[in-house]
Amino acid sequence: MKRFEPQKEDILSAGIDIGTSTTKIVISKFSLMNMAGGMHMPRIEIINKEILYRSPIYRTPLLSTTTIDSKAVETLVMKEYELAGIEPNDIQTGAVIITGETATKQNAQEMVHYLSDHAGEFLVATAGPDLEGIIAAKGSGAYEYSKKTGKVIANIDIGGGTANVAVYKSGKLCGTCTLHIGGRLIEFEGNQIKSISSPIKKLIQQWGSAAAIKEGDRRDLSVIQKLIDFMAAVIARMLNRNLLESDQPLLLGHEPNWQEDIDAIMFSGGISECIYKYESVITGTAQYDDIGEMLAASLRESQELSSWQWLKPVETVRATVLGAGTQTTEISGATIHAESHDLPLRNLPVYQIRLGYDLEDGIKRMPEAVQNAMDIYDPQREGQNFALYVTEIPYLGFRDVQALATAILHAMQIKPNKKQPLVIVLESDHAKVLGQTIKVQNPAQSQSIICIDQIQVEHGDYIDIGHLLQTSVVPVVIKTLTFHH
């Protein structure tokens, strides 16, 4: 039993954003502090986040239109670490996020996992349009503004390939939506059209001969402006939850899924940089070789969009990288059961079982829940581990904890790999006692038990659990892993 618990600890976080057009890196320092008094149960919180280093903004290196140049991305990251004066093993948390059209590249998944293994002890590989929107809203200041004012704010993060929208009210996420709208959907070379992305081609087909443009045509065709104005109008219709059939080629994934009417809008991403000009220069960028500036002008002049209050973002093109580096980490409760030789754990899918505040009924349903989790995450029984997330837990006495531990152990017997860690995530404060009870009851002593609490996750999320820190907590990063092809 440790007699002395340090009261304060600093950890370093990295955010790496590999987007359709640009790649950037941010290094931050988090200060953790025990906010409970000496006689109380420890309550470790992040009390301060300080940005130590921001990289220049680089053009994302590509080998071809379908492949990212992984070697060049790694070289760029390592060079920036050196300039920031840090080593990869100094990094204890953070996120590598692959955004926009880059997530559709052939080697996206392989590259982001490789980078998350080599760029730090505990860096998370993430992708997925909904998550991008959420992270950008936190980096741009929209989330914070909604928390302070209680208003409904839509953050519209527009980069090279996608517009990721996240709507917040009073700091709570109301919904998300993603559109194929971005600065690089039509690219130019000299006075000619160099490339037209596939969503725009679908739109052109739908419009028929009135919009017949193709690669090699002149860049000053009036139909290009019409297409750009249409994009701005689609954004307005999406904000009103009123997309038309004709807008469908530009929708990526699900329809707008919030119920609230929006009070104010904020733009972030590369296109908002064209609106606000916060940055002095983007490294390696040839200006005006795409429709970015035209799209920014069309948004500014849109009648439909002028009906909302426009809020200035705190960050434009760096919103996602700052969100990834400073907003993705949570801290577990301090009374947890974690065996450090098995940490960090990465990319564990989460399966939620609600006890419904009825222990007896919850225990009865446990074997079926674990069976379902296996069918979803490990259908071939190859040994893919997962975390069991137990919520709606009633008050537990000593015997109740024993009964729950027995039920979990019994249900988990069907897992093919008995040696992999048993990972339990609890909504409420029972991790230490439950973890220790499972350990005592567990006949397979070779299996380690990781039981953490005070973490809010969603069914289908993935979690990463970092090394045990001096303050007896673990950093936890919750994310969605979706590489949309």
Side-chain angles (χ1 to χ4, degrees), residues 408-484:
I408 289 171
L409 274 173
H410 177 69
M412 291 290 199
Q413 285 306 305
I414 65 165
K415 288 178 73 182
N417 182 351
K418 301 283 188 283
K419 291 204 168 151
Q420 66 191 182
L422 186 58
V423 184
I424 315 290
V425 181
L426 305 175
E427 197 177 27
S428 56
D429 239 342
H430 297 91
K432 197 177 190 86
V433 64
L434 183 64
Q436 286 172 342
T437 307
I438 292 173
K439 190 73 186 162
V440 169
Q441 289 186 7
N442 190 9
Q445 288 301 327
S446 59
Q447 183 181 41
S448 69
I449 314 294
I450 311 287
C451 198
I452 64 172
D453 59 23
Q454 292 182 33
I455 294 291
Q456 303 276 318
V457 274
E458 298 279 325
H459 202 37
D461 282 345
Y462 283 69
I463 60 168
D464 286 44
I465 303 170
H467 278 301
L468 197 61
L469 302 175
Q470 292 172 328
T471 30
S472 301
V473 295
V474 287
V476 178
V477 179
I478 300 158
K479 72 275 171 127
T480 308
L481 282 175
T482 343
F483 289 83
H484 41 281

Side-chain angles (χ1 to χ4, degrees), residues 215-422:
E215 279 104 349
D217 284 353
R218 289 196 342 271
R219 71 182 281 172
D220 59 0
L221 292 173
S222 62
V223 72
I224 294 174
Q225 188 60 54
K226 272 193 195 136
L227 284 162
I228 292 165
D229 291 342
F230 180 76
M231 289 181 194
V234 171
I235 289 174
R237 286 196 285 275
M238 179 269 307
L239 293 171
N240 277 322
R241 310 185 301 287
N242 194 19
L243 286 174
L244 307 174
E245 191 58 44
S246 55
D247 302 336
Q248 292 304 309
L250 297 187
L251 181 65
L252 196 171
H254 62 78
E255 295 266 343
N257 57 3
W258 55 89
Q259 306 304 314
E260 298 76 4
D261 289 338
I262 290 162
D263 298 316
I265 58 177
M266 189 180 279
F267 287 94
S268 63
I271 299 304
S272 86
E273 176 54 32
C274 296
I275 296 172
Y276 295 110
K277 309 277 192 240
Y278 285 8
E279 301 282 334
S280 51
V281 67
I282 292 185
T283 306
T285 301
Q287 290 294 307
Y288 314 122
D289 58 356
D290 58 32
I291 57 169
E293 291 281 350
M294 293 167 78
L295 179 55
S298 186
L299 294 170
R300 268 197 312 265
E301 289 154 25
S302 160
Q303 272 308 114
E304 296 100 324
L305 289 171
S306 68
S307 62
W308 286 283
Q309 179 192 0
W310 283 45
L311 302 169
K312 273 196 167 185
V314 178
E315 293 287 340
T316 54
V317 67
R318 294 178 195 264
T320 306
V321 74
L322 283 167
T326 63
Q327 300 289 344
T328 50
T329 299
E330 292 190 24
I331 296 297
S332 72
T335 50
I336 60 172
H337 180 91
E339 293 171 43
S340 56
H341 54 82
D342 273 312
L343 295 175
L345 287 171
R346 293 188 178 158
N347 297 335
L348 284 177
V350 172
Y351 188 87
Q352 182 176 27
I353 171 161
R354 291 187 172 90
L355 298 186
Y357 305 103
D358 180 338
L359 187 64
E360 206 174 312
D361 181 57
I363 279 173
K364 275 188 202 142
R365 288 185 288 107
M366 190 71 71
E368 189 194 345
V370 173
Q371 182 72 54
N372 285 346
M374 295 287 291
D375 292 345
I376 295 169
Y377 299 126
D378 193 15
Q380 308 302 316
R381 303 299 188 259
E382 293 162 338
Q384 161 66 53
N385 204 0
F386 60 88
L388 198 62
Y389 179 45
V390 187
T391 63
E392 296 179 4
I393 301 172
Y395 170 79
L396 297 180
F398 176 64
R399 282 177 197 281
D400 299 328
V401 171
Q402 287 188 311
L404 182 57
T406 305
I408 289 171
L409 274 173
H410 177 69
M412 291 290 199
Q413 285 306 305
I414 65 165
K415 288 178 73 182
N417 182 351
K418 301 283 188 283
K419 291 204 168 151
Q420 66 191 182
L422 186 58

Side-chain angles (χ1 to χ4, degrees), residues 18-23 59-73 76 98 101-103 105-107 111 184 187 194:
I18 303 152
T20 307
S21 308
T22 58
T23 290
R59 174 59 55 88
T60 296
L62 299 175
L63 289 173
S64 71
T65 53
T66 56
T67 316
I68 304 161
D69 188 340
S70 304
K71 201 80 212 116
V73 171
L76 188 155
I98 189 156
E101 297 286 300
T102 323
K105 303 294 180 214
Q106 283 170 1
N107 60 339
M111 194 223 65
R184 300 193 73 74
E187 292 183 90
K194 179 185 163 192

Side-chain angles (χ1 to χ4, degrees), residues 83-95:
L83 289 170
I86 58 158
E87 298 281 332
N89 56 9
D90 295 333
I91 299 293
Q92 286 155 291
T93 188

